[in-house]
Amino acid sequence: MLPHQMRAGDFACLLCGSKLNLSISDIAVGITTGSCPMCSQPFTIKLNKKDIELLLEAEETGKQQ
């Protein structure tokens, strides 16, 4: 579950705190992996279908503002 309403670009590295520069097209249902652009440490994001729906909703809300 997502801790609050967030967009794909809000995901940050747990080690250094920098943004992971993800877009909604970079994230999928299940497990998404990659490397932090700043410290090169691997990250894993696990999302279910409801989480993806919430991300899409937040992205649409952000575009309307």
Side-chain angles (χ1 to χ4, degrees):
M1 284 298 292
L2 297 173
H4 55 80
Q5 187 176 23
M6 56 190 298
R7 296 167 45 168
D10 294 334
F11 286 101
C13 178
L14 294 176
L15 184 65
C16 72
S18 11
K19 298 286 184 182
L20 296 174
N21 299 325
L22 297 174
S23 68
I24 195 69
S25 61
D26 297 327
I27 300 174
V29 174
I31 296 174
T32 301
T33 59
S35 297
C36 173
M38 293 300 287
C39 68
S40 300
Q41 290 299 308
F43 68 83
T44 300
I45 299 171
K46 184 177 179 183
L47 300 171
N48 59 33
K49 184 177 178 181
K50 180 66 177 173
D51 292 332
I52 296 294
E53 290 171 3
L54 292 171
L55 284 171
L56 287 170
E57 183 180 306
E59 294 288 332
E60 286 300 315
T61 303
K63 288 180 184 177
Q64 292 175 0
Q65 293 178 357

